[in-house]
Amino acid sequence: MLFFILKRIAGMIPAMLAISVLAFVVIQLPPGDYVSTYAAQIAQSGERVDSAVLESLRQRYGLGENVVVQYFKWIGGIARGDFGDSFEWRQPVTELIWGRMGMTALISLCTLVLMWAFSLPIGIYSAARQYSVTDYLSTAFAFLAMATPNFLLAIVLLYITTMWFGVSVGGLFSPAFENAPWSLAKLWDFITHAWVPIFVLGTAGTASLIRIMRANLLDELHKPYVEAGRAKGLPEARLILTYPTRVALNPFISTVGWVLPALISGELIVSTVLNLPTAGPLLLQALKSQDMYLAGAFILLSGGLVLIGTLVSDILLAISDPRIRLS
Amino acid sequence: MTDKPILRVSNLSVDFPMHKSVLHAVKDVSFDLHRGETLCVVGESGSGKSVTARAILQLVAKPGVITSGQINLASESGEIDIVALGNSGPAIRQIRGRRIAMIFQEPMTSLSPVHTIGHQIVETILLHEKISKEEARKRAAALLDRVRIPNPEAALDRYSFEFSGGMRQRAMIAMALSCNPEILIADEPTTALDVTTQAEILSLIRELQRDRGMAVLFITHDMGVVAQIADRVMVMFRGEKVEEANVFDLFARPQQAYTRALLGSVLKLETPAPRPTRPVAETPIAQINDLALHFPLNPGFFGRPTAYLKAIDGISLTINEGETVGVVGESGSGKTTLGRTLLRVYTPTDGQVNYRRGDGTTVDIASLGKAGMKSLYGEVRMIFQDPHSSLNPRMTIYQIISEPLRTNTDMSEHQMMDRVQELLTRVGLPADIGDRYPHAFSGGQRQRISIARAIAVRPRLIIADEPTSALDVSLRHQVLDLMRDLQSEFGLSYLFISHDISVIRYFCDRVAVMKNGRIVEIGDVAQICERPEHEYTRTLISAVPRPDPRLRADAPA
């Protein structure tokens, strides 16, 4: 088992390197660089642009150098824990992103856990009572939820809470708690704010997980080992929960691998709409202004989160299924 | 059998409401089961034998319902009517596994893949008895030992996928016997197993029954198995009980026409079909020389793999023109792989297959390129085992049969229509079914369609991979007779792959016995079946249950 985990972690290293190359290439793809965007901004505000100043900026950031040299400079810094400086904020990237990345991870994790908590029992019930009223209701909900775009749900929710209940739910904290240290009161404030993005982010995923769980379990319910379990006198509920559900969980666990990236990319739009202090809006801004070190760090860390998600799902799979563990 | 029966089934009926009609799966069936006896329920697919067995434990799958009748189980306080108990609740669960236990056809899938064998047996014991987990585990180990699973203590912590098919069925039997049931229902428990394993499991069930005085209700379609183990036999046909008799009486004096027909088709396979004598000078159509196919077992991280699965390990075999060569062997012997390699589904790792084409030239199939193989598909065709999955459900019968014509000949649509009609008539099907889909036909009819497809391009060699294994016994000799007629009509040669020695004896000229990718013995069918020389062939042949109860050790003189 330990060997299995170590092997998986070793396999993550080349994947991580590939992601870093890809992230760097993507950032370099649009024409121009941060300095040219900066110059355009200044020109737009009507001021005169001094080309000597621009040139010195380019020199300072090392933007004139070969792309390959730039990449190695960047990745070499990261290996030492230095993600470089943000051009736009004039601050080290590390200072800027930890809080934001942490918030993204927190929101994603909460969403994932809640998605599982809801979709698992509903999916099991739906399969065990196929074609019952509850099954039809959950199916109707699932299709509706899957078809509704996240940002639309966010806007509608904002509208309803603000106009009907007079509560502002934008952001993750009330202004009073924004910079306060963590306390019980702040936690409660977080919960009252966080349910909106979690609800918006999780609805579509919960819906598809319900469908996946239902389909998986329906496939298992008619297998001979279920009948054999019934023939030895197991009560129905215990039989379904301990036998077919155990087997049907496999594809469900594997979903962590794709739910995490979907959450993180979905979060970008939702966070912008809801004005959340997560990584998404900052990444968007960094990409727009070609703030390359900041954008690169975000993309790299998001990729890292996805890899970790896959690792977690692989480990969970190995724990739950002896066929994977032993072969 | 003067004592009171332990189980009395009277006027049992089970219905399956279908889309617009009702399927009467079991109609008004009554029978008794006594302590210590084995009652075999025999019938072809769709006869309702499995549904009857499941009804006894209230396990009939949805949407089936027991519509009438009684199933009375003798108890200390009089009789319990299982039908009245319903299919859930503590009362029926008290009976399931404790008083009546069941083993199933598929040992591969009847045990949970994610729980250990020990867990599943201990769970059964703890469900029905108030003993400690340690005691239950001790009893489970003793049970595994009793069904002759080596090293039972360690086996408790193994998973079912670590066991072979026969071992899994033993574990399943141990689980069924864990609470000392009075009745054991066995639903085709050996159908999915090799003949040698089948013989072991049958003698184990018989032995355990004698030890415990259990009543056994044994469901099977195999008359050979019936002759070996039954005390009494009940024959079912289309949901109805046709006949019930002592096993010796049934085989000697069948009363009903259906029983006679069923026994007749079994016994017909016991004697070889009349064969034209082989010409003195044979012309080989395919010569297989030292053919080998090795699959690497490990990918070999960098460089060469270190272990190989030798699916075919140096086989030499000649098929002559107009001859039928049988290949017999147990699962994993490589017989199916051999057939597929001859059509280059797999590319052999060594050896040659020298095939003499219709125009007299010889090609080596083992090293032939893609284009060369394509031109051969008009001469060498294949018939598969499962007629349900080897026909595309979304193509009409006409499309299915004309497909090889389309790819191998330049016939016009009109010509193909004529040919398909002619072929359908030839294989004994109505000529006007071309625009229907495969699901409208029974297993036997589908296999006829597969045969029509195979002979559409007038091939010279047909590789038939277990073409009769999925068919009921009454259909087997019909399909074989059809293949035999086509052979004399078109001068076909067959490579006939089967695990069933009686089918081989009925149909083939020569036979090769395969084991672990090698041929252990090859020769004339009569000689191999009557006087096998190799030890393995002898075991294989003696393990086949013969449909004659008089051959049993306990037969009355």
Side-chain angles (χ1 to χ4, degrees):
Chain A
M1 189 65 194
L2 191 70
F3 178 71
F4 173 84
I5 297 173
L6 286 177
K7 213 170 78 179
R8 280 305 158 111
I9 291 175
M12 280 167 66
I13 293 169
M16 206 60 221
L17 280 175
I19 291 174
S20 75
V21 172
L22 218 65
F24 200 74
V25 169
V26 168
I27 296 165
Q28 295 287 342
L29 274 183
D33 52 29
Y34 171 70
V35 177
S36 56
T37 321
Y38 177 67
Q41 266 174 13
I42 297 173
Q44 228 171 24
S45 58
E47 283 174 44
R48 203 176 56 83
V49 189
D50 186 348
S51 61
V53 173
L54 292 183
E55 200 46 47
S56 73
L57 268 176
R58 271 211 174 87
Q59 291 255 288
R60 184 138 59 100
Y61 297 141
L63 291 178
E65 290 174 68
N66 187 317
V67 180
V68 180
V69 175
Q70 284 192 51
Y71 170 74
F72 279 107
K73 240 186 186 170
W74 179 60
I75 203 78
I78 290 173
R80 290 190 306 273
D82 175 14
F83 283 81
D85 289 346
S86 161
F87 305 146
E88 200 174 17
W89 299 78
R90 312 273 156 104
Q91 276 183 44
V93 166
T94 9
E95 279 176 27
L96 272 172
I97 61 170
W98 275 136
R100 297 239 168 188
M101 223 44 217
M103 277 300 157
T104 295
L106 184 65
I107 293 278
S108 300
L109 201 71
C110 290
T111 313
L112 191 65
V113 168
L114 284 171
M115 274 164 69
W116 276 12
F118 280 100
S119 58
L120 201 63
I122 298 179
I124 294 173
Y125 191 85
S126 216
R129 299 262 185 281
Q130 198 189 3
Y131 303 139
S132 66
V133 177
T134 328
D135 182 30
Y136 281 124
L137 277 179
S138 87
T139 304
F141 159 76
F143 284 135
L144 203 69
M146 271 193 279
T148 313
N150 276 347
F151 66 89
L152 188 71
L153 197 62
I155 292 172
V156 169
L157 216 61
L158 272 186
Y159 179 84
I160 293 176
T161 47
T162 323
M163 300 305 284
W164 294 4
F165 301 106
V167 194
S168 160
V169 289
L172 281 177
F173 300 102
S174 312
F177 287 103
E178 193 100 43
N179 294 311
W182 280 100
S183 61
L184 269 182
K186 182 169 177 171
L187 186 70
W188 175 246
D189 184 60
F190 172 73
I191 292 171
T192 52
H193 281 85
W195 70 268
V196 179
I198 289 176
F199 179 79
V200 171
L201 281 171
T203 309
T206 308
S208 54
L209 284 181
I210 288 175
R211 299 303 295 169
I212 292 173
M213 189 62 211
R214 179 178 180 273
N216 288 344
L217 193 54
L218 281 178
D219 280 347
E220 291 300 322
L221 277 180
H222 302 287
K223 293 271 174 76
Y225 69 87
V226 180
E227 196 179 28
R230 207 169 281 140
K232 72 187 188 187
L234 274 171
E236 198 63 22
R238 184 171 151 198
L239 171 72
I240 289 179
L241 288 180
T242 49
Y243 284 84
T245 303
R246 267 289 298 275
V247 183
L249 266 181
N250 276 6
F252 195 78
I253 293 172
S254 315
T255 53
V256 196
W258 63 260
V259 163
L260 238 111
L263 278 180
I264 288 169
S265 58
E267 182 257 359
L268 200 154
I269 302 168
V270 173
S271 299
T272 309
V273 172
L274 291 176
N275 188 27
L276 303 183
T278 56
L282 198 62
L283 169 65
L284 188 67
Q285 175 57 32
L287 284 172
K288 279 203 289 199
S289 62
Q290 299 202 334
D291 191 348
M292 60 183 264
Y293 291 132
L294 185 57
F298 273 132
I299 296 180
L300 202 61
L301 287 178
S302 305
L305 269 185
V306 172
L307 284 185
I308 290 169
T310 318
L311 177 74
V312 169
S313 80
D314 280 352
I315 293 174
L316 286 178
L317 263 184
I319 292 172
S320 101
D321 194 331
R323 286 171 296 184
I324 293 168
R325 188 166 66 233
L326 295 176
S327 63
Chain B
M1 306 279 170
T2 46
D3 61 333
K4 257 182 63 180
I6 177 135
L7 189 76
R8 284 196 305 120
V9 175
S10 32
N11 308 102
L12 180 72
S13 292
V14 181
D15 283 357
F16 281 77
M18 307 299 278
H19 186 51
K20 273 178 184 152
S21 58
V22 175
L23 174 78
H24 303 287
V26 178
K27 287 181 247 177
D28 206 21
V29 167
S30 307
F31 62 91
D32 291 349
L33 186 63
H34 296 264
R35 286 191 173 84
E37 78 162 347
T38 301
L39 174 65
C40 272
V41 181
V42 67
E44 297 184 289
S45 50
S47 63
K49 55 190 193 301
S50 276
V51 178
T52 307
R54 280 168 173 70
I56 295 172
L57 276 179
Q58 282 280 7
L59 285 176
V60 177
K62 277 181 203 168
V65 276
I66 300 175
T67 49
S68 65
Q70 287 182 319
I71 301 170
N72 289 308
L73 178 67
S75 303
E76 283 153 19
S77 52
E79 286 186 331
I80 303 174
D81 181 8
I82 291 176
V83 175
L85 294 181
N87 62 6
S88 61
I92 183 68
R93 290 204 307 269
Q94 279 298 311
I95 293 174
R96 288 177 185 165
R98 180 183 183 78
R99 302 202 54 200
I100 308 177
M102 186 156 178
I103 52 179
F104 296 86
Q105 175 169 0
E106 293 288 340
M108 300 292 162
T109 49
S110 297
L111 290 164
S112 161
V114 293
H115 296 88
T116 58
I117 301 280
H119 173 95
Q120 296 181 62
I121 300 179
V122 167
E123 183 180 40
T124 315
I125 300 173
L126 292 180
L127 268 175
H128 296 293
E129 290 177 37
K130 284 198 170 54
I131 57 173
S132 72
K133 226 171 176 170
E134 290 68 42
E135 275 177 83
R137 199 182 147 87
K138 225 178 264 167
R139 173 142 31 124
L143 280 161
L144 288 186
D145 190 40
R146 182 66 195 85
V147 296
R148 291 196 284 273
I149 286 180
N151 206 350
E153 265 299 326
L156 284 176
D157 295 320
R158 308 281 292 277
Y159 291 92
S160 65
F161 59 88
E162 297 176 89
F163 283 171
S164 68
M167 289 296 228
R168 290 184 208 189
Q169 199 58 293
R170 286 167 196 272
M172 192 72 210
I173 292 173
M175 188 162 99
L177 298 182
S178 60
C179 294
N180 297 313
E182 293 145 86
I183 300 173
L184 177 69
I185 301 176
D187 185 7
E188 305 248 14
T190 57
T191 306
L193 303 175
D194 281 325
V195 277
T196 47
T197 319
Q198 164 170 294
E200 289 163 19
I201 297 286
L202 289 180
S203 75
L204 178 68
I205 291 177
R206 194 117 185 105
E207 195 183 308
L208 290 167
Q209 177 189 23
R210 283 209 192 99
D211 280 7
R212 296 160 180 249
M214 263 185 325
V216 174
L217 186 72
F218 197 102
I219 318 290
T220 182
H221 69 280
D222 188 335
M223 278 307 209
V225 172
V226 174
Q228 292 303 304
I229 64 159
D231 293 315
R232 285 188 307 128
V233 187
M234 176 168 105
V235 183
M236 284 187 76
F237 179 61
R238 292 199 185 151
E240 285 177 80
K241 174 168 136 182
V242 175
E243 187 168 353
E244 182 183 340
N246 176 290
V247 63
F248 300 104
D249 293 340
L250 188 98
F251 277 82
R253 291 174 294 279
Q255 298 299 310
Q256 300 295 320
Y258 175 73
T259 314
R260 277 197 291 272
L262 191 65
L263 279 172
S265 48
V266 175
L267 294 174
K268 191 162 194 279
L269 287 176
E270 283 292 290
T271 42
R275 278 194 300 262
T277 43
R278 302 292 312 153
V280 185
E282 300 268 22
T283 1
I285 184 165
Q287 276 178 310
I288 304 165
N289 294 324
D290 294 321
L291 193 69
L293 175 62
H294 296 179
F295 293 109
L297 280 179
N298 46 3
F301 195 59
F302 290 111
R304 297 165 62 85
T306 48
Y308 293 91
L309 172 74
K310 296 178 175 174
I312 303 176
D313 193 12
I315 280 189
S316 299
L317 180 70
T318 304
I319 306 165
N320 294 312
E321 247 166 44
E323 187 188 34
T324 304
V325 177
V327 176
V328 70
E330 296 190 289
S331 53
S333 63
K335 55 188 194 302
T336 293
T337 315
L338 173 67
R340 295 191 177 166
T341 309
L342 293 189
L343 267 176
R344 279 289 289 281
V345 176
Y346 306 119
T347 299
T349 41
D350 202 13
Q352 299 106 43
V353 180
N354 291 316
Y355 172 79
R356 210 173 61 84
R357 304 193 55 148
D359 56 15
T361 55
T362 302
V363 289
D364 178 14
I365 293 181
S367 58
L368 206 58
K370 259 213 166 99
M373 265 329 284
K374 195 159 184 268
S375 72
L376 270 190
Y377 289 139
E379 293 193 19
V380 187
R381 304 294 306 177
M382 191 142 183
I383 301 174
F384 297 91
Q385 168 172 3
D386 185 358
H388 294 275
S389 57
S390 61
L391 302 177
N392 186 337
R394 300 193 190 283
M395 281 165 77
T396 63
I397 303 303
Y398 169 69
Q399 286 170 328
I400 287 171
I401 299 179
S402 65
E403 195 178 31
L405 296 170
R406 219 174 286 274
T407 50
N408 291 293
T409 67
D410 41 19
M411 289 171 99
S412 69
E413 202 68 34
H414 203 77
Q415 285 173 307
M416 284 195 285
M417 275 195 211
D418 287 346
R419 171 68 73 85
V420 170
Q421 289 198 348
E422 177 196 319
L423 285 165
L424 284 171
T425 321
R426 186 63 201 83
V427 296
L429 292 170
D432 57 357
I433 58 167
D435 51 2
R436 300 179 67 183
Y437 288 88
H439 69 83
F441 299 93
S442 68
Q445 288 171 321
R446 287 188 213 204
Q447 204 58 305
R448 284 171 192 270
I449 294 166
S450 303
I451 292 173
R453 173 174 64 179
I455 60 167
V457 286
R458 301 270 182 271
R460 301 174 60 238
L461 174 62
I462 288 182
I463 294 158
D465 189 359
E466 307 255 14
T468 58
S469 301
L471 303 179
D472 276 326
V473 64
S474 60
L475 295 171
R476 279 187 199 162
H477 69 89
Q478 293 175 13
V479 168
L480 292 175
D481 289 345
L482 171 67
M483 286 172 69
R484 160 88 55 208
D485 291 347
L486 294 170
Q487 179 170 42
S488 51
E489 194 174 326
F490 300 117
L492 287 169
S493 309
Y494 288 115
L495 183 74
F496 188 90
I497 297 158
S498 180
H499 70 281
D500 185 344
I501 200 103
S502 63
V503 170
I504 295 260
R505 181 177 46 203
Y506 181 74
F507 187 66
C508 296
D509 297 308
R510 283 190 303 139
V511 61
V513 183
M514 271 187 82
K515 189 193 181 191
N516 297 338
R518 290 166 176 272
I519 291 180
V520 296
E521 192 169 359
I522 184 165
D524 183 77
V525 160
Q527 181 236 313
I528 298 262
C529 291
E530 309 300 328
R531 297 177 300 280
E533 277 173 11
H534 196 277
E535 182 58 40
Y536 177 70
T537 317
R538 251 176 260 153
T539 321
L540 200 62
I541 290 175
S542 65
V544 178
R546 304 289 299 275
D548 187 351
R550 287 169 303 175
L551 300 173
R552 266 156 65 162
D554 60 346

